[in-house]
């Protein structure tokens, strides 16, 4: 088995339509067992090394779980800075997908100019919050805020998003609520993402994959805690369902209440156009959200402590909205070391064998295998697994 | 799960766009679009066909050791 594993997605066709979808995962879900017997401090060092793609979201969920299990409080400004880092990472992940994957779908090449500021972005963001030697996402880090430094990073995100994605300031794009404005933006074809959306629309693919959404609700932390204590918890982590239903957690479920997404859903359901627009919308919201968080942080009194959250004694849950959806970590402590560690990642929700991807791929036209591969890839990319996938046809 | 795997760079194409990396016994082609200044013998974290960032040899070894402890090896 490869270290990172993969998703195998098989499409079974009959009468020129996809009639069956099988999704199998070889992702190494046993990895968290590695943390058992280790101290929380050791685990917090290991997590970003192992889970290095969304390392900040993973570390944020882990540190929240460990603090809660240890009943350790944290300064409110630290908590705000950690939220800023996770949001910054979400923007970077969205930009990577939009700037690297999307051009290929419309026959364009990747423009590396726009990517040049992104590789160092998270390192610089951590440095702006916790200093050169500071340890972000440790149990009780010391904030060393360089507000001007962080503001410059927001400017980089904003500028990259404007030049490479929106063709206008992201905040202005985010305020777009009207379908006419949205189609006008597509028609201008000023950026590669706009051209891809024009391509999707002009080829009649807006409804593609538009199965009904069953969003993962805002559950009570205690409910998830109880679910992860059940004897079948390992199966739940591999094949999660909520209220006996596979659920979706993604940029689309997070942006579902925005007027533009409501309008798009009314026209195209949760199809490809709505999904791609939701990712753009989330990206467009982040520079403004980061500025708000930075102002809040700067206005917050130093030393103000957040009380430790009390739940089950010796158990902590960290729940974070990562780029691809909601991420849950649960840490159980006994005698100062981790006795059990569980991670439930968004890919397991969204790529459940009967989940949103499986249902969305059902019914795709299968007369032309090359066209089917392209359409299925577009849809899978729009939901966005955090692991490679292999598409097969039967 | 968002795992990225450390691998050693053994070749880089003329344009500097792609590299060949070695992971255990396996050689893979990865894009260098997301990293700057990569040289042969550097270690990079790879994920779905892309090198994400450079890591030191020590960090790469420590990470691979952790994966091995969990029973997952290249």
């Amino acid at each position: 088995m490869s270290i990172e594993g993969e998703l195998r997605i098989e499409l079974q066709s009959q009468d020129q339509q996809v009639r069956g979808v099988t999704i199998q995962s070889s992702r190494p879900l046993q990895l968290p067992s590695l943390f058992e017997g280790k101290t929380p401090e050791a685990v917090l060092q290991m997590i970003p090394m192992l889970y290095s793609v969304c390392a900040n979201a993973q570390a944020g969920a882990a540190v929240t779980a460990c603090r809660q299990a240890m009943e350790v409080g944290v300064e409110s400004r630290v908590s705000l800075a950690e939220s800023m880092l996770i949001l910054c990472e979400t923007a970077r992940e969205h930009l990577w997908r939009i700037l690297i994957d999307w051009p290929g779908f419309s026959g364009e090449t990747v423009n590396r100019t726009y990517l040049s500021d992104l590789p160092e972005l998270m390192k610089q963001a951590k440095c702006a919050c916790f200093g050169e030697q500071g340890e972000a996402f440790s149990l009780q880090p010391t904030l060393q805020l360089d507000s001007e430094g962080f503001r410059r990073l927001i400017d980089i995100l904003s500028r990259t998003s404007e030049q490479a994605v929106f063709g206008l300031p992201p905040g202005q794009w985010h305020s777009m609520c009207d379908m006419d404005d949205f189609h006008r933006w597509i028609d201008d074809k000023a950026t590669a993402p706009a051209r891809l959306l024009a391509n999707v629309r002009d080829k009649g693919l807006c409804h593609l994959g538009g199965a009904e959404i069953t969003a993962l609700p805002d559950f009570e932390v205690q409910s998830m805690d109880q679910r992860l204590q059940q004897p079948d918890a390992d199966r739940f982590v591999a094949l999660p369902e909520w209220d006996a239903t596979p659920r979706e957690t993604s940029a689309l479920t997070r942006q579902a209440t925005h007027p533009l997404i409501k309008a798009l859903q009314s026209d195209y359901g949760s199809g490809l156009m709505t999904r791609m627009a939701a990712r753009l919308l989330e990206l467009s919201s982040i520079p403004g959200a980061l500025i708000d968080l930075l102002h809040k942080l700067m206005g917050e009194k130093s030393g103000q402590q957040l009380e430790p959250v009390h739940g089950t004694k010796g158990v902590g849950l960290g729940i974070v909205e990562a780029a691809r959806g909601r991420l849950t970590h649960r840490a159980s402590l006994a005698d100062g070391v981790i006795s059990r560690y569980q991670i439930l990642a968004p890919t397991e929700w969204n790529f459940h064998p009967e989940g949103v991807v499986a249902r969305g791929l059902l019914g795709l036209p299968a007369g032309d295998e090359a066209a089917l591969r392209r359409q299925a890839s577009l849809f899978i990319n729009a939901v966005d697994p955090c692991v490679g996938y292999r598409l097969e046809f039967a | 799960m968002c795992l990225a795997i450390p691998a050693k760079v053994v070749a880089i194409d003329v344009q500097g766009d792609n590299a060949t990396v070695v992971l255990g016994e396996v050689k893979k082609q990865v894009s260098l679009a997301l990293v700057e200044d990569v040289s042969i013998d550097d270690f990079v974290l790879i994920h779905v066909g892309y090198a994400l960032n450079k890591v030191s040899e020590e960090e790469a070894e420590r990470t691979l050791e952790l994966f091995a402890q969990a029973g997952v090896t290249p």
Side-chain angles (χ1 to χ4, degrees):
Chain A
M1 180 173 72
S2 69
I3 291 180
E4 71 270 41
E6 66 173 3
L7 295 168
R8 178 180 162 272
I9 302 173
E10 185 188 89
L11 308 182
Q12 296 113 29
S13 305
Q14 200 180 356
D15 302 329
Q16 304 205 330
Q17 259 200 333
V18 174
R19 301 285 187 188
V21 178
T22 304
I23 300 181
Q24 292 172 323
S25 169
S26 64
R27 280 147 52 69
L29 301 180
Q30 78 278 23
L31 212 53
S33 64
L34 191 61
F35 308 141
E36 291 166 12
K38 306 276 194 309
T39 63
E41 289 86 350
V43 170
L44 293 176
Q45 299 247 325
M46 290 158 74
I47 288 214
M49 289 169 69
L50 294 169
Y51 300 96
S52 48
V53 177
C54 281
N56 291 267
Q58 296 279 358
V63 80
T64 305
C66 289
R67 284 175 188 149
Q68 196 181 330
M70 297 170 79
E71 299 187 33
V72 167
V74 68
E75 201 187 343
S76 58
R77 299 192 316 154
V78 165
S79 178
L80 282 169
E82 288 171 350
S83 300
M84 284 159 55
L85 292 178
I86 293 167
L87 206 49
C88 217
E89 181 178 75
T90 294
R92 187 203 60 184
E93 288 294 314
H94 285 334
L95 276 169
W96 271 355
R97 295 281 69 80
I98 292 166
L99 301 182
I100 294 169
D101 296 344
W102 286 21
F105 289 117
S106 48
E108 298 194 26
T109 53
V110 175
N111 186 337
R112 290 180 68 156
T113 319
Y114 297 133
L115 297 172
S116 59
D117 287 324
L118 299 182
E120 292 297 310
L121 187 78
M122 291 317 302
K123 202 163 134 187
Q124 292 166 346
K126 281 183 186 174
C127 187
C129 289
F130 294 100
E132 195 81 51
Q133 303 300 322
E135 292 208 4
F137 303 108
S138 57
L139 284 171
Q140 290 184 301
T142 305
L143 190 74
Q144 295 181 49
L145 182 66
D146 169 8
S147 56
E148 280 312 305
F150 203 91
R151 207 184 291 273
R152 280 195 295 275
L153 296 176
I154 299 173
D155 287 343
I156 288 174
L157 276 179
S158 198
R159 192 177 58 241
T160 305
S161 302
E162 176 172 347
Q163 291 175 350
V165 181
F166 301 114
L168 67 166
Q172 197 180 327
W173 202 91
H174 188 256
S175 65
M176 184 162 51
C177 300
D178 187 78
M179 285 289 275
D180 291 339
D181 289 343
F182 180 68
H183 283 294
R184 261 194 296 277
W185 175 77
I186 292 177
D187 287 333
D188 283 346
K189 297 184 183 175
T191 62
R195 290 190 288 276
L196 175 59
L197 264 55
N199 196 299
V200 164
R201 185 192 59 191
D202 298 344
K203 289 194 170 160
L205 302 177
C206 295
H207 294 85
L208 188 109
E212 195 186 338
I213 292 182
T214 48
L216 181 62
D218 289 330
F219 50 75
E220 294 287 326
V221 173
Q222 291 83 351
S223 309
M224 179 57 87
D225 184 25
Q226 283 166 11
R227 186 64 193 87
L228 287 166
Q229 286 180 51
Q230 300 298 313
D232 68 342
D234 287 348
R235 181 180 161 77
F236 172 67
V237 162
L239 300 165
E241 295 182 1
W242 201 253
D243 295 333
T245 308
R247 301 288 181 154
E248 174 175 356
T249 174
S250 64
L252 177 54
T253 58
R254 284 193 292 249
Q255 301 299 321
T257 57
H258 189 282
L260 177 63
I261 298 303
K262 283 183 171 176
L264 283 161
Q265 280 191 311
S266 160
D267 281 13
Y268 306 128
S270 58
L272 190 58
M273 181 63 90
T274 311
R275 288 190 175 280
M276 296 176 92
R279 187 191 296 262
L280 293 173
L281 191 65
E282 185 155 277
L283 173 65
S284 73
S285 74
I286 291 178
L290 283 171
I291 286 169
D292 291 346
L293 279 170
L294 181 61
H295 285 160
K296 195 172 173 195
L297 198 164
M298 290 164 70
E300 198 90 340
K301 279 187 191 150
S302 171
Q304 200 160 322
Q305 291 286 309
L306 292 175
E307 288 303 308
V309 180
H310 294 285
T312 310
K313 185 94 181 146
V315 172
L317 257 84
I319 299 171
V320 161
E321 290 294 338
R324 293 167 179 84
R326 202 174 307 167
L327 170 69
T328 302
H329 281 219
R330 181 176 183 272
S332 307
L333 268 182
D335 300 325
V337 295
I338 300 291
S339 57
R340 189 176 193 195
Y341 203 97
Q342 294 158 288
I343 298 179
L344 173 50
T347 293
E348 269 57 63
W349 287 106
N350 297 330
F351 288 79
H352 183 289
E354 294 162 22
V356 58
V357 172
R359 283 182 288 129
L361 292 170
L362 274 177
L364 290 191
D368 174 348
E369 191 172 300
L372 174 59
R373 181 175 290 280
R374 181 175 178 276
Q375 291 183 11
S377 301
L378 255 171
F379 178 69
I380 293 166
N381 180 278
V383 182
D384 191 15
C386 67
V387 67
Y389 66 88
R390 187 155 40 99
L391 203 50
E392 295 179 353
F393 303 97
Chain B
M1 294 296 252
C2 303
L3 303 176
I5 316 301
K8 187 176 183 177
V9 176
V10 294
I12 297 175
D13 70 9
V14 179
Q15 293 80 22
D17 292 339
N18 297 289
T20 306
V21 298
V22 174
L23 188 59
E25 303 288 307
V26 182
K27 281 189 178 179
K28 284 187 179 183
Q29 295 292 312
V30 295
S31 166
L32 297 177
L34 305 179
V35 278
E36 305 267 308
D37 304 324
V38 174
S39 309
I40 290 174
D41 291 338
D42 279 345
F43 283 80
V44 289
L45 290 175
I46 59 167
H47 179 73
V48 197
Y50 283 88
L52 297 183
N53 48 273
K54 289 201 285 186
V55 290
S56 68
E57 185 170 356
E58 295 72 30
E59 196 179 339
E61 282 172 2
R62 276 206 313 275
T63 305
L64 286 170
E65 172 60 25
L66 288 175
F67 282 117
Q69 284 174 31
V72 280
T73 51

